[in-house]
Amino acid sequence: MRQGDPPEAQWPHGTFLKRLDPRARAVVLRLGVRRRVPAGQILIHQGTRESHLVLLEEGLTKVTAHLPDGRSALLSLRVGGDLVGEMSALNDQPRSATITTCGPTRYSVIPQEAFTRFLKDHPEAALELAAMVSDRLRWSNRRRIDFTSYAVKMRVARVVAELCRTHGRRCRDGVVIDVHLTQPELATICGAAETSVHKALRELRADRLVDTDYRRITVRDLTRLRDLGELDPDED
């Protein structure tokens, strides 16, 4: 969880920039064209044929995909330090998801050719890229297992506890999750019906584990929430 450290000094755990050694990190930060955009901007459109990559330096984005019934599913969240668009850059296929900013965001657009040269010049960075992709696949597989193995209340507890680690900010009342998620978005990331997620949140509030406000969740007792989700001490 963030403790108020300067974002330029502390890239979040698991992000691409955090994985790189200082020399490679300095090089990749100079590769692209830097831009700043407000909330609600689409950085990558699902289905388009593009090959550039987007390196997020500051801000929060949502990764969504269109479903056959017309709905949009929230797949994951990406923050400053994360690299997105790498799949199309590596396999020359259309974009598999849409990336939308949730707040003011600073990022760099890196041409595919420049990033390929970077990987050839820094083979250790290529290994870290592979590790990052592997971690994302593991996270996706874990969500699928959660969908079939756990009740909705436990799924919600597991997702909320994980969001505390990746997007949490300590406050007087506990941990505030600095992600403005709608209940439909939370439902898609939990793999549950919106009504079921609403009921689970109501029960978590009654248990004094969380407080909810408009698109905001405050976790009042993270230890008990993790116990409910049956998470190991080193994962949330």
Side-chain angles (χ1 to χ4, degrees):
M1 286 170 288
R2 299 194 301 275
Q3 304 291 335
D5 293 320
E8 65 272 19
Q10 294 290 330
W11 301 106
H13 174 75
T15 62
F16 185 63
L17 289 179
K18 179 68 172 179
R19 295 171 184 272
L20 299 181
D21 65 53
R23 183 174 63 92
R25 186 184 303 126
V27 173
V28 78
L29 283 168
R30 294 195 299 267
L31 287 181
V33 177
R34 187 166 284 119
R35 297 175 180 172
R36 288 181 180 269
V37 294
Q41 299 296 300
I42 295 179
L43 306 184
I44 289 176
H45 291 260
Q46 180 180 352
T48 58
R49 280 198 168 273
E50 303 168 327
S51 60
H52 65 267
L53 300 94
V54 173
L55 181 63
L56 301 171
E57 297 182 25
E58 184 179 330
L60 171 71
T61 64
K62 296 178 183 179
V63 183
T64 58
H66 301 306
L67 299 177
D69 62 5
R71 292 181 299 138
S72 180
L74 177 65
L75 303 181
S76 60
L77 302 163
R78 297 287 179 255
V79 297
D82 272 324
L83 183 70
V84 296
E86 76 286 347
M87 290 178 60
S88 292
L90 294 173
N91 63 17
D92 196 32
Q93 294 297 309
R95 300 294 195 189
S96 60
T98 294
I99 312 292
T100 308
T101 61
C102 301
T105 301
R106 186 179 74 226
Y107 66 99
S108 294
V109 177
I110 303 176
Q112 179 190 33
E113 298 80 5
F115 190 72
T116 300
R117 287 195 301 270
F118 165 75
L119 293 180
K120 290 179 179 179
D121 293 339
H122 300 83
E124 73 285 355
L127 293 176
E128 294 300 342
L129 176 65
M132 181 196 76
V133 173
S134 177
D135 282 350
R136 291 178 179 179
L137 178 60
R138 184 187 301 273
W139 189 92
S140 178
N141 287 340
R142 178 174 162 181
R143 292 281 78 78
R144 292 189 181 96
I145 292 171
D146 286 355
F147 296 166
T148 59
S149 303
Y150 300 113
V152 173
K153 184 177 179 180
M154 186 179 292
R155 286 185 236 165
V156 173
R158 291 170 71 89
V159 169
V160 171
E162 185 169 343
L163 289 173
C164 279
R165 178 179 65 81
T166 57
H167 307 290
R169 171 174 52 84
R170 291 194 180 277
C171 67
R172 183 181 61 184
D173 298 324
V175 180
V176 175
I177 297 173
D178 277 334
V179 181
H180 289 185
L181 291 177
T182 65
Q183 287 200 10
E185 288 170 337
L186 183 59
T188 59
I189 208 170
C190 291
E194 184 180 349
T195 54
S196 299
V197 169
H198 180 77
K199 179 176 181 290
L201 288 174
R202 186 170 65 246
E203 292 175 356
L204 293 176
R205 286 195 300 268
D207 294 337
R208 300 183 63 80
L209 295 179
V210 306
D211 286 331
T212 58
D213 199 349
Y214 179 68
R215 294 193 175 189
R216 172 163 293 186
I217 299 174
T218 301
V219 176
R220 303 186 60 176
D221 193 329
L222 182 55
T223 300
R224 287 176 57 211
L225 186 71
R226 292 170 62 188
D227 288 345
L228 175 62
E230 297 183 359
L231 292 167
D232 293 333
D234 61 345
E235 64 169 348
D236 27 79

